[in-house]
């Protein structure tokens, strides 16, 4: 009867109660306050547990945290200036500072890393994909070093984490010592067949390798093969020592990766003196204490990271270690201890001291409340030593004193450790670390700090210590805002809100009461001691009619409150919610047909839940067409019953003939499709329902049909995701499913003209013009076998340019072009047909990595030999020709082929032999090839490979074995399938140029 009388309240009602209802704030999702530990966790964005563990370790490294905080906005810039064209904001350290401040001071149980990962240049793909925490540690440090160039913190990483190892070979004949020094930011130690960290370090830095018999060493001083010994020592120790455990190995017999789960112990304190070159210093110079253990749970191809951290500054509340977190053995020990010592050890000690002072009243004077003591003026002649036996006659008291002292020392010396597992933070005992020595869940990275490093007393328990004032102000303001919102929520939850509804404000039609929107919906009234429950509604009328319409009363016209569910549209409902639920009132005599038209349309359908659970698809049945004219009461719908209403475009998930729901909420994704084909005067946008297995071509065709666009677009259109800033991204392949396209619920897609690239084509963005800010962005589709020069020519043609000098910047979107990925800048003013466009990488001294690539134009009209290429590259870098080494990269094989001019045969004639050309085998040099360069003045290593190459080769071997094999099914053989894992994606962090 009451229609949508109370409809304005339904959006904020909690439907978990049939009678009593609570008002909820619908527009705000408040983070929960910190729990008893008073520490903040970090939210997992989908696959960022490895990032969370490393960030918590850096946060609880006070010297790192304070060094980062010491770099002010005058050096780093301001986040407010990020989008200004000419500003150089060092966004990564700024976001890291802000995240640390939130973790220290913001009253929330878990902080978000979204702003930080955005500053990394990561998209949803990186956030959902798990990576190796050791790799992240190196890449993050490299990104920070690059970001801090030119600031007072330029040497931050080196000062805290940089150490050196010296490798020495000693000739046994002339005693000549040949040594090579290596830098490190972390030490990688073996786990396989090694029982402990100490033994692994002994093998690395104490054991010597002997060159003898058939394995001799060529001594430069002796100029012959001799016997020698090779060893390594730690030359310089960093304040913080990071140790990576090689848990992941490769079985070459089975050609598969595996995780080493054997027992591997490591100490809480370690003395590195036996492993160092210099040993004359005091022993404390070599002592290190464990303060963080990053733990990996799972196998080689997936798992989860969390971290044990020692709270050095005692910022958290470690005493909340409750019995609920103890196992049965620990509970029994704790109970025995409580039974043995009924009083606190400090209380026992205090009582013993008081008794001693009272027994020596001639020497000590106590005040009235026994809180202070002073010497008696006449006590100067007394000898103060240990209490005599007469003062400790009670053996139980002596035992209590010893036990109290022991417990007191134990309490003060026990370290405060916490387990930080994404959003969850809980205190643990130090002995819990032993559980991570072995097994599927075991230690992966260890972090030690020098024992000599002491913290100032003012830092203890003070999270505001050394935090910059602007961040303190920001966090204080944010906490005030949070507290205000929480107070509002508490007030809303604990306030009785009564509504008076006057009959003159309503009219009756369609079998129900409806409010007159032009009138106030209620009158203020004060009710006291009426016994009304929270949220109760009072309707005032004459019992006969409303707005001149007679109201039918009685059981046949009793109003029914129905829970209505429908699929959530874009940005509707709570985060992650894929359906919305609200309540609607109908007369029990209302027909289902009338209800369907009221809620959706005449073409909609209604499903009824026939069991208590509404979360399973099989519990929903379609109401047959012949029952649509029946009333609610006839079909058995009563107060609290639930119905699921589907619009016409939702019905693809329903087998109407069978009457069953074939998919339900957790399988359904809402996608928005917007018309960008410029066929209509106004932009159109529709919502499309799809499961995670729906193919993109089906979504595109359904969108064209619902927007009633020209059918010719079916064969000449594509779907392109739209970024947060409104940019059209690369078209999604037609044969991709929603899951494969990694589209989230509510993703916005653009329907654009032109076909999506095929599996053998690439989609490129490029900008042509001197002013990159104002020049429009253009797009082309090319075959993946196209050369760089062919792509550049096509870009010029697309832009309507011919011979005019042009500045061009290009990039490949998420994929590779042939053998290279195009990035950076290329000047095409002098690019001719006889030129080769090469991508040159200069190696980073002491690291297996390279600086950012440069594109080098090389004129090969005269010669294309190794010596000519060396001269061109040496001239570019202003280096002597004899002081560089070069190699060509083969991405498909992850190999570097050295290019040596000394091995080529040069004729005495003016022209070189044709076989000397680098364009022929084995180099086959062409446009876009990658050339690596080693500067021998600073780096004598001849190894061009990188860590990424090692990973690539390893994955290549794995994929070779795991590639699906098949034979014809002729009745005697069956197709054999081998499960394979996706190749690991390379982890990278994008950093601006600040030099």
């Amino acid at each position: 009867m009451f229609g949508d009388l109370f409809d304005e309240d339904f959006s904020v009602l909690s439907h978990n109660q049939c009678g009593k209802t609570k008002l909820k704030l619908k527009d705000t999702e408040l983070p929960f306050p910190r729990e008893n530990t008073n520490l903040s966790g970090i939210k997992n964005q989908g696959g960022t547990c490895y990032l969370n563990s490393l960030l918590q370790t850096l946060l609880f490294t006070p010297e790192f945290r304070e060094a980062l905080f010491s770099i002010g906005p005058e050096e780093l810039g301001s986040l407010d200036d990020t989008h200004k064209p000419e500003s150089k904001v060092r966004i990564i350290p700024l976001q890291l500072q802000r995240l640390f401040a939130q973790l220290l001071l913001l009253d929330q149980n878990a902080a978000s890393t979204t702003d930080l990962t955005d500053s990394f240049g990561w998209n949803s793909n990186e956030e959902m994909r798990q990576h190796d925490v050791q790799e992240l540690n190196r890449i993050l440090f490299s990104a920070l070093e690059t970001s801090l160039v030119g600031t007072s913190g330029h040497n931050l990483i080196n000062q805290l984490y940089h150490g050196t190892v010296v490798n020495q070979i000693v000739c046994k004949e002339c005693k000549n010592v040949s040594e090579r020094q290596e830098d490190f930011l972390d030490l990688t130690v073996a786990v396989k067949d090694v029982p402990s960290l100490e033994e692994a370090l002994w093998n690395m830095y104490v054991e010597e390798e002997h060159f003898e018999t058939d394995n001799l060493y060529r001594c430069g001083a002796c100029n012959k093969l001799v016997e020698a010994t090779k060893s390594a020592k730690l030359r310089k120790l960093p304040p913080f020592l990071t140790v990576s455990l090689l848990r992941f190995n490769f079985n070459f017999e089975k050609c598969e990766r595996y995780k080493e789960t054997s027992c591997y112990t490591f100490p809480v304190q370690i003395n590195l003196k036996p492993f160092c070159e210099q040993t004359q210093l005091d022993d404390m110079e070599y002592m290190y204490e464990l303060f963080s253990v990053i733990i990996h749970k799972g196998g080689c191809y997936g798992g989860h990271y969390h971290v044990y951290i020692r709270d050095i500054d005692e910022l958290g509340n470690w005493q909340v270690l409750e019995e609920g977190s103890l196992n049965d053995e620990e509970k029994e020990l704790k109970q025995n201890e409580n039974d043995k010592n009924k009083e606190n050890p400090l209380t026992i000690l205090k009582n013993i001291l008081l008794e001693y002072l009272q027994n020596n009243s001639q020497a000590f004077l106590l005040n009235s409340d026994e809180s202070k003591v002073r010497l008696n003026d006449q006590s100067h002649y007394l000898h103060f030593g240990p209490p005599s036996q007469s003062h400790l006659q009670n053996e139980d008291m002596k035992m209590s004193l010893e036990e109290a002292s022991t417990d007191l020392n134990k309490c003060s010396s026990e370290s405060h450790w916490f387990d930080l597992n994404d959003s969850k933070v809980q205190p643990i005992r130090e002995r819990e670390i032993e559980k991570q020595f072995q097994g599927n869940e075991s230690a992966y990275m260890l972090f030690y700090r020098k024992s000599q490093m002491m913290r100032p007393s003012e830092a203890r328990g003070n999270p505001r210590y050394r935090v910059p004032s602007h961040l303190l102000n920001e966090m204080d303001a944010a906490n005030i805002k949070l507290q205000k919102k929480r107070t509002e929520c508490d007030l809303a939850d604990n306030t009785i809100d009564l509504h008076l509804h006057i009959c003159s404000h309503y009219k009756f039609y369609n079998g129900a009461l409806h409010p007159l929107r032009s009138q106030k919906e209620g009158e203020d009234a004060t009710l006291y001691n009426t016994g009304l429950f929270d949220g109760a509604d009072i309707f005032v009328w004459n019992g006969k009619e409303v707005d001149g319409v007679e109201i039918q009363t009685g059981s046949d016209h009793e109003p029914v409150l129905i829970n209505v569910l429908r699929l959530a549209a874009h940005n509707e409902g709570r985060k992650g919610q894929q359906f919305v639920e609200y309540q609607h009132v109908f007369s029990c005599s209302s027909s289902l047909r009338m209800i369907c038209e009221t809620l959706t349309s005449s073409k909609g359908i209604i499903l009824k839940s026939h069991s208590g659970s509404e979360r399973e698809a099989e519990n929903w049945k379609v109401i047959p067409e012949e029952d649509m004219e029946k009333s609610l009461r006839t079909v058995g719908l009563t107060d609290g019953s639930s119905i699921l209403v589907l619009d016409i475009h939702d019905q693809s998930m329903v087998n109407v003939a069978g009457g069953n729901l074939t998919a339900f909420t957790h399988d359904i994704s809402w996608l928005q499709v917007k018309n960008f084909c410029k066929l209509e005067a106004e932009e159109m946008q529709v919502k499309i329902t799809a499961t995670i297995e729906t193919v993109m071509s089906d979504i595109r065709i359904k969108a064209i049909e619902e927007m009633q666009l020209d059918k010719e677009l079916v064969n000449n259109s594509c779907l392109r995701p739209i970024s947060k800033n409104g940019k059209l991204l690369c078209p999604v392949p037609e044969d991709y499913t929603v899951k494969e396209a990694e589209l989230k619920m509510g993703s916005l897609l653009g329907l654009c003209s032109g076909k999506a690239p095929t599996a053998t084509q690439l989609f490129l963005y490029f900008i042509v013009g001197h002013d990159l800010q104002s020049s429009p962005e253009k797009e082309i589709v090319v075959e993946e076998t196209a050369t760089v020069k062919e792509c550049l020519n096509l870009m010029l043609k697309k832009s309507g340019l011919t011979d005019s000098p042009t500045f061009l910047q290009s990039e490949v979107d998420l994929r590779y072009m042939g053998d290279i990925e195009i990035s950076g800048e290329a000047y095409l003013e002098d690019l001719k047909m006889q030129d080769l466009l090469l991508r040159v990488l200069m190696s980073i001294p002491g690291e297996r990595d390279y600086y950012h690539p440069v594109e080098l134009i090389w004129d090969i009209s005269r010669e294309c030999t190794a010596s000519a290429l060396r001269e061109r590259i040496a001239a570019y870098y202003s280096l002597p020709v004899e002081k560089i080494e070069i190699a060509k990269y083969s991405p498909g094989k992850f190999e570097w082929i050295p290019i040596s001019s000394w091995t080529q045969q040069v004729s005495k004639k003016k022209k070189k032999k044709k076989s000397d050309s680098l364009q022929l085998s084995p180099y086959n040099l062409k446009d876009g090839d990658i050339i690596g360069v080693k500067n021998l003045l600073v780096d004598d290593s001849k190894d061009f490979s990188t860590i990424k190459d090692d990973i690539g080769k390893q994955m290549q071997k794995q994929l070779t074995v795991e590639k699906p094999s098949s034979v014809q099914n002729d009745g005697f053989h069956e197709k054999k399938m081998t499960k394979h894992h996706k190749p690991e994606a390379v982890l990278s962090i994008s950093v601006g140029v600040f030099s």
Side-chain angles (χ1 to χ4, degrees), residues 595-752:
I595 293 173
C596 188
E597 293 176 351
T598 302
L599 298 177
T600 70
S601 65
S602 59
K603 296 183 180 180
I605 61 174
I606 297 178
L607 292 89
K608 174 185 174 183
S609 175
H610 63 85
S611 71
S613 175
E614 301 170 1
R615 302 293 177 182
E616 302 296 335
E618 59 268 19
N619 294 330
W620 292 90
K621 296 293 182 183
V622 177
I623 296 179
E625 178 65 26
E626 57 269 20
D627 289 347
M628 292 298 288
E629 303 301 331
K630 295 181 180 180
S631 67
L632 290 176
R633 174 167 292 177
T634 304
V635 297
L637 292 173
T638 58
D639 268 336
S641 296
S642 297
I643 61 174
L644 175 62
V645 181
L646 298 180
D647 292 334
I648 184 172
H649 58 274
D650 298 330
Q651 296 177 19
S652 61
M653 292 170 296
V654 177
N655 181 355
V656 179
N660 295 320
L661 185 68
T662 58
F664 202 44
T665 54
H666 56 274
D667 298 318
I668 301 167
S669 291
W670 275 97
L671 302 176
Q672 296 283 342
V673 180
K674 190 173 184 179
N675 179 25
F676 281 88
C677 293
K678 308 299 182 184
L679 299 179
E680 301 292 335
E682 59 180 1
E683 293 181 344
M684 298 180 62
Q685 183 171 317
V686 294
K687 56 185 180 181
I688 303 295
T689 305
T691 68
I692 58 175
E693 299 300 329
T694 304
V695 181
M696 299 306 299
S697 58
D698 294 340
I699 296 174
R700 180 175 59 84
I701 294 173
K702 188 182 296 185
I704 293 174
E705 292 175 352
E706 294 207 14
M707 288 190 283
Q708 299 180 354
L709 301 178
D710 194 334
K711 293 184 178 179
E712 294 181 0
L713 285 175
V714 173
N715 298 319
N716 190 31
S717 60
C718 60
L719 291 176
R720 300 176 60 177
I722 302 175
S723 65
K724 295 178 181 180
N725 58 7
K727 178 183 177 181
L728 286 169
L729 304 179
C730 180
V732 181
E734 289 282 271
D735 58 347
Y736 271 33
T737 63
V738 172
K739 181 179 180 180
E740 291 172 334
E742 298 182 342
L743 295 174
K744 295 182 178 179
M745 176 186 174
S747 295
L748 183 60
L749 303 172
L751 179 68
C752 304

Side-chain angles (χ1 to χ4, degrees), residues 501-507 516 519 523 539-541 546-547:
H501 301 270
I502 311 302
C503 65
S504 59
H505 295 165
Y506 295 85
K507 59 182 179 179
L516 296 174
Q519 300 289 337
E523 292 183 354
F539 183 73
V540 181
W541 68 314
V546 173
D547 193 30

Side-chain angles (χ1 to χ4, degrees), residues 864-994:
C864 185
T865 62
S867 57
L869 178 57
R870 291 170 66 89
E871 290 175 1
R872 177 71 179 93
I873 293 176
Y876 180 85
Y877 285 106
S878 300
L879 293 171
V881 176
E882 66 275 8
K883 292 300 181 182
I884 66 169
E885 290 290 342
I886 58 177
K888 180 200 169 186
Y889 186 54
S890 297
K893 300 179 180 179
F894 302 99
E895 293 180 349
W896 294 84
I897 308 174
I899 301 176
S900 174
S901 60
W902 322 121
T903 59
Q904 288 195 326
Q905 299 296 323
V906 181
S907 68
K908 296 181 179 180
K909 298 181 180 179
K910 292 184 178 179
K911 294 184 179 180
K912 306 287 188 300
K913 290 182 179 180
K914 188 176 180 181
S915 60
D916 294 338
S917 174
L918 294 179
Q919 291 183 299
L920 301 178
S921 181
Y923 301 109
N924 300 312
L925 202 62
K926 63 182 183 300
D927 278 326
D929 277 347
I930 302 174
I931 304 296
V933 183
K934 289 278 187 178
N935 180 0
L936 301 182
L937 294 174
V938 294
D939 188 358
D940 58 356
S941 171
K942 302 296 179 66
D943 181 15
F944 284 84
S945 65
T946 66
I947 296 175
K948 295 178 183 178
D949 296 331
D950 296 342
I951 296 174
K953 287 182 179 180
Q954 198 172 20
M955 295 304 301
Q956 204 171 45
K957 291 180 181 178
Q958 172 193 336
L959 292 175
T960 300
V961 176
E962 297 180 348
K963 186 178 294 183
S965 59
S966 63
V967 295
Q968 291 185 353
N969 188 352
D970 55 1
F972 299 96
H973 301 86
E974 294 182 356
K975 185 176 182 181
K976 183 180 179 181
M977 299 295 294
T978 304
K979 183 179 179 182
H980 66 279
H981 301 273
K982 293 184 178 180
E984 295 180 1
V986 177
L987 179 65
S988 63
I989 295 177
S990 301
V991 187
V993 179
F994 302 105

Side-chain angles (χ1 to χ4, degrees), residues 88-106:
K88 285 192 175 183
V89 180
R90 303 169 193 263
I91 188 170
I92 292 178
L94 282 172
Q95 290 292 6
L96 193 56
Q97 283 183 343
R98 190 166 180 268
L99 175 63
F100 281 1
Q102 291 174 349
L103 291 169
L104 289 170
L105 300 171
L106 198 57

